Amino acid sequence: MKKYLSLLLVAGVAFSCETKDQEIDYTQLSDSERLEVATEIAQSTIMVDGHVDLPYRMKVGGFTLQREILDVSVRTPDGNFDFPRSREGGLDAPFMSIYIPAGNQAIPGASKALADSLILMTERLATTFPDKFAMAYSPADVEVNFQKGVISLPMGMENGAGIEDDLANVEYFHGRGIRYITLTHGKDNLIGDASYDTTGTHGGLSEFGEKVVSEMNRVGIMVDLSHVSDNTFRDALAITKVPVIASHSSVRKFTPGFERNMSDELIKAMADNGGVMMINFGGSFIDSAYAAGSAKVREHIVNWLAENNLSRRDSAAQAYISEYAAANNPFPTVQRVADHVDHVVNLVGIDYVGFGSDFDGVGDSLPTGLKDVSMFPNLIAELLKRGYSREDIEKICYKNIFRVWQAVEDYAASM
């Protein structure tokens, strides 16, 4: 079990991990003292991240069943996740995203085949490095792995296109270890309409999608409403018999017009359902000014590359792009992520929010102070500074998502 800091000295007073919140006011500590406390909390508390895109990063990086080209058991020079950094940040259970690009939907069988491949890659991590990683199919599994000191690898399938047109595949993927399914991704699919798509193919959930949601309830797979259109979101809430999640979404108040994020109406509806919204850390998700600046930067870079006859892979281009983007569109900070947490808590309460970083899925847009999994204590420290208690932090880190996950399991068992 990871308890690297079982005893801390803060403001000259020693206290143990079990010290009651009322005995110390975290808001009155210095930033360095607060970060020390936050690091202790991260190390001694189970931390779940609702969405990490490592499996697809492994695929792009050349991972095969014969050999690993991308070895995340050691520190990697790029990306946002690996074992050493996860240990440093206190992340214990990153949901591995089994990501199905919308382009696969046009090829019969391609989505399911890719999902199976990415599941195998994830399982291979656990079997190759059993002292570092282990599969997890329930909250109880995560707790056991935490006690052993290994990182759990629960799995969620991002894009229900993997189900293809066969309802039996819902139970099939439960058997393969999938514990949530994001109903759509970038385009409308057979299940329902997506937030990034303006087609409105079904006007929300399709008839098939209604059956999929009910079947997910029956077998014990959490319904994930990130990426869906508002109509699909409402339809799914009307169908489900158990709480739902948004595995990696942020607050639309800070990104007006961005349907991929959740409106106050939807946040309240999810809370009424008992669900959990897990905050995405991506710059375009947390700050509309950054999103607008990114569009301008991209336009400039495209023109600059053409004028200089360079590609993005050229070292000179990479240096210029990094420098130009930093100068012309500064990253949001960890404080902005905390603003999103604050908004959910102020709107519906502490029981309905979690972390869903989208690490390895949002490129280089991550905010200052949250560039990779090692930096979770920075966010916890910011929440402590804003008056959150240790119990609050525990709810955000794992208790809220465990409550939903367990409710879904219990309902399936009762069926």
Side-chain angles (χ1 to χ4, degrees):
M1 180 178 176
K2 53 173 193 175
K3 276 200 177 182
Y4 302 137
L5 296 171
S6 60
L7 189 68
L8 296 176
L9 187 66
V10 177
V13 179
F15 68 98
S16 71
C17 294
E18 288 72 29
T19 298
K20 299 298 184 181
D21 286 300
Q22 57 266 31
E23 295 177 11
I24 185 167
D25 184 352
Y26 298 124
T27 66
Q28 298 304 306
L29 302 180
S30 69
D31 287 345
S32 61
E33 291 168 343
R34 199 161 30 240
L35 181 59
E36 188 175 8
V37 174
T39 301
E40 180 273 314
I41 292 174
Q43 295 296 342
S44 63
T45 300
I46 294 173
M47 190 185 303
V48 178
D49 186 329
H51 194 91
V52 173
D53 274 295
L54 176 65
Y56 202 77
R57 175 183 160 212
M58 290 193 297
K59 172 182 169 58
V60 172
F63 187 106
T64 69
L65 295 180
Q66 288 73 44
R67 63 194 181 99
E68 296 84 26
I69 295 175
L70 176 62
D71 182 0
V72 294
S73 71
V74 297
R75 192 176 301 273
T76 56
D78 53 15
N80 312 127
F81 175 91
D82 53 47
F83 178 81
R85 286 184 287 175
S86 193
R87 266 287 165 261
E88 291 167 13
L91 178 60
D92 302 289
F95 266 90
M96 296 285 98
S97 171
I98 306 303
Y99 165 56
I100 313 298
N104 283 51
Q105 296 170 191
I107 307 170
S111 295
K112 182 181 179 183
L114 177 58
D116 278 328
S117 174
L118 296 178
I119 290 169
L120 284 171
M121 288 182 189
T122 304
E123 292 173 336
R124 180 72 184 278
L125 273 182
T127 57
T128 304
F129 307 106
D131 59 327
K132 295 181 172 68
F133 301 107
M135 303 306 295
Y137 307 110
S138 67
D141 287 346
V142 175
E143 290 175 336
V144 168
N145 292 337
F146 178 75
Q147 294 296 329
K148 291 179 178 178
V150 297
I151 294 173
S152 292
L153 300 177
M155 295 184 292
M157 186 164 69
E158 186 179 24
N159 193 353
I163 297 168
E164 304 282 348
D165 59 355
D166 187 353
L167 196 63
N169 281 329
V170 176
E171 188 166 15
Y172 168 80
F173 278 116
H174 181 269
R176 297 290 289 110
I178 294 297
R179 290 301 178 264
Y180 74 67
I181 295 177
T182 318
L183 298 184
T184 69
H185 192 252
K187 295 288 184 181
D188 300 351
N189 61 20
L190 295 177
I191 295 172
D193 297 342
S195 61
Y196 285 137
D197 199 334
T198 59
T199 307
T201 303
H202 311 287
L205 272 183
S206 67
E207 290 185 14
F208 178 67
E210 293 176 358
K211 295 177 182 177
V212 167
V213 170
S214 294
E215 182 69 356
M216 289 170 67
N217 287 176
R218 186 187 74 81
V219 304
I221 295 178
M222 289 180 282
V223 176
D224 178 18
L225 300 182
S226 289
H227 278 290
V228 304
S229 71
D230 286 4
N231 285 336
T232 301
F233 197 111
R234 298 184 188 99
D235 288 350
L237 284 181
I239 295 293
T240 186
K241 303 298 184 184
V242 291
V244 301
I245 66 170
S247 67
H248 58 306
S249 294
S250 299
V251 175
R252 198 178 301 173
K253 174 189 175 182
F254 299 103
T255 57
F258 186 38
E259 191 175 355
R260 172 64 180 81
N261 276 347
M262 289 171 57
S263 68
D264 286 3
E265 173 208 344
L266 298 184
I267 296 170
K268 290 176 181 177
M270 176 171 278
D272 289 342
N273 160 268
V276 174
M277 175 185 182
M278 309 183 83
I279 301 299
N280 191 312
F281 298 171
S284 296
F285 287 82
I286 62 172
D287 196 296
S288 59
Y290 179 81
S294 293
K296 293 180 180 178
V297 167
R298 282 195 299 271
E299 181 180 4
H300 171 84
I301 294 301
V302 168
N303 293 332
W304 183 87
L305 290 172
E307 291 168 1
N308 291 274
N309 196 29
L310 293 172
S311 77
R312 289 180 178 272
R313 292 187 295 272
D314 293 319
S315 58
Q318 290 176 358
Y320 179 83
I321 291 169
S322 177
E323 182 178 349
Y324 183 86
N328 290 275
N329 191 30
F331 293 108
T333 65
V334 66
Q335 286 78 19
R336 196 55 159 169
V337 178
D339 290 343
H340 284 252
V341 175
D342 275 350
H343 184 79
V344 177
V345 172
N346 292 334
L347 190 66
V348 297
I350 191 65
D351 297 318
Y352 309 102
V353 67
F355 298 143
S357 66
D358 213 350
F359 280 137
D360 282 335
V362 288
D364 60 359
S365 74
L366 290 157
T368 302
L370 274 177
K371 293 296 187 183
D372 61 43
V373 294
S374 72
M375 299 184 182
F376 271 107
N378 292 337
L379 178 53
I380 293 174
E382 179 61 27
L383 295 175
L384 292 173
K385 186 176 184 178
R386 297 182 183 207
Y388 287 76
S389 67
R390 179 181 291 264
E391 181 181 1
D392 293 336
I393 301 299
E394 290 174 351
K395 287 185 175 184
I396 296 170
C397 284
Y398 79 101
K399 288 183 177 179
N400 291 341
I401 184 61
F402 270 23
R403 172 179 54 78
V404 173
W405 194 353
Q406 192 62 55
V408 171
E409 283 205 339
D410 291 346
Y411 180 84
S414 74
M415 296 294 286

